[in-house]
Amino acid sequence: VVAYHEAGHAVAGWFLEHADPLLKVSIIPRGKGLGYAQYLPKEQYLYSTEQLLDRMCMTLGGRVSEQIFFGRITTGAQDDLSKVTKSAYAQVVTFGMNEKVGNVSFDLPREGEPTFDKPYSEATAQLIDEQARDVINNAYKRTFDLLTKHKEDVEKIALRLLEKEVLGREDMIELLGPRPFKEKSTYEEFVEGTGGDTEDTSLPKGLKGLQEQLEEEDPPTNTIPT
């Protein structure tokens, strides 16, 4: 089950344009998790609804894979569901990304903080709950459709995980082919859109050596545990 759970994360992220690039996926226990997927996060502070949706779908990939292959679910997705729930409520309550709730922003209580009177009515609270649930349900359906389409790919990754326990980026490319989206360097993303139609977004000569040096060092990673 763990192999198919982690394969679900990996394949979902591989075929979602705004998901962070995958570095490693493993079924070796780590901390409380029975497996994990590591991603290279972008240094980014602004997210669109499309980007947040892709990240939610990638996070739901493990739970969806369990449902597709075993017809049942386990407690392994608890941390994933917590992240998805927080993201959905933040979009509706804090970021003003929901049409029905509107362009309003309320502070969500932090974990461990007492909850006092909410700055909105019970009717609004009910609407918020409904819309957050819709965001999650839509992300789940999108992920289910994606992994159903790529069911054979999930199986490939899961079986290779059972064989090797740890897969890197090169293993993913071997099994699935290159990602269908161009992955740009941080510099290319920074200059994109700052010039005309014929702008040169290649890395300047003076920065190429630095880029190679940075790539040799251990990059910061995001880890999705099981």
Side-chain angles (χ1 to χ4, degrees):
V1 175
V2 175
Y4 282 87
H5 181 105
E6 297 304 334
H9 283 308
V11 172
W14 198 257
F15 292 104
L16 290 168
E17 181 176 3
H18 302 297
D20 292 329
L22 179 73
L23 289 179
K24 180 192 299 183
V25 58
S26 170
I27 56 173
I28 298 175
R30 177 176 177 176
K32 295 181 180 180
L34 298 178
Y36 61 91
Q38 276 188 334
Y39 298 87
L40 179 64
K42 300 175 184 177
E43 190 172 341
Q44 184 172 342
Y45 301 97
L46 298 176
Y47 292 91
S48 67
T49 53
E50 293 79 13
Q51 290 170 323
L52 291 174
L53 177 60
D54 276 4
R55 294 169 74 89
M56 289 178 68
C57 291
M58 178 181 69
T59 305
L60 286 168
R63 165 61 66 92
V64 169
S65 182
E66 292 179 15
Q67 182 68 53
I68 291 174
F69 285 93
F70 302 103
R72 56 186 173 81
I73 54 178
T74 70
T75 58
Q78 186 272 330
D79 186 63
D80 298 334
L81 295 178
S82 176
K83 292 176 181 176
V84 166
T85 301
K86 289 176 182 176
S87 176
Y89 271 93
Q91 291 174 56
V92 175
V93 179
T94 306
F95 302 141
M97 289 180 164
N98 182 266
E99 290 183 3
K100 291 187 177 180
V101 175
N103 294 313
V104 294
S105 178
F106 304 107
D107 290 331
L108 289 171
R110 296 183 180 179
E111 190 172 346
E113 288 184 349
T115 303
F116 300 106
D117 292 337
K118 298 176 181 177
Y120 42 81
S121 67
E122 284 301 318
T124 300
Q126 183 176 350
L127 179 62
I128 287 171
D129 289 339
E130 292 172 353
Q131 294 305 302
R133 192 177 298 274
D134 282 348
V135 170
I136 296 171
N137 289 341
N138 290 336
Y140 191 94
K141 182 181 184 305
R142 183 168 179 255
T143 310
F144 190 92
D145 292 342
L146 176 68
L147 293 190
T148 299
K149 176 182 177 182
H150 292 283
K151 186 175 180 179
E152 291 184 3
D153 292 326
V154 178
E155 184 108 50
K156 287 180 188 176
I157 300 301
L159 293 176
R160 185 65 66 88
L161 274 172
L162 290 171
E163 177 187 339
K164 294 183 61 177
E165 293 190 328
V166 179
L167 300 182
R169 178 176 177 77
E170 293 305 315
D171 296 298
M172 294 291 293
I173 294 175
E174 176 193 340
L175 294 170
L176 305 182
R179 283 188 77 191
F181 315 103
K182 184 179 179 181
E183 294 178 351
K184 305 172 185 177
S185 71
T186 302
Y187 177 83
E188 287 174 327
E189 289 181 322
F190 178 76
V191 300
E192 183 179 31
T194 58
D197 294 335
T198 59
E199 65 186 357
D200 180 10
T201 61
S202 60
L203 204 64
K205 293 181 179 179
L207 292 180
K208 286 183 179 178
L210 175 62
Q211 179 71 12
E212 292 171 359
Q213 179 182 346
L214 291 174
E215 289 175 352
E216 291 174 357
E217 299 175 358
D218 290 331
T221 58
N222 277 347
T223 303
I224 297 183
T226 299

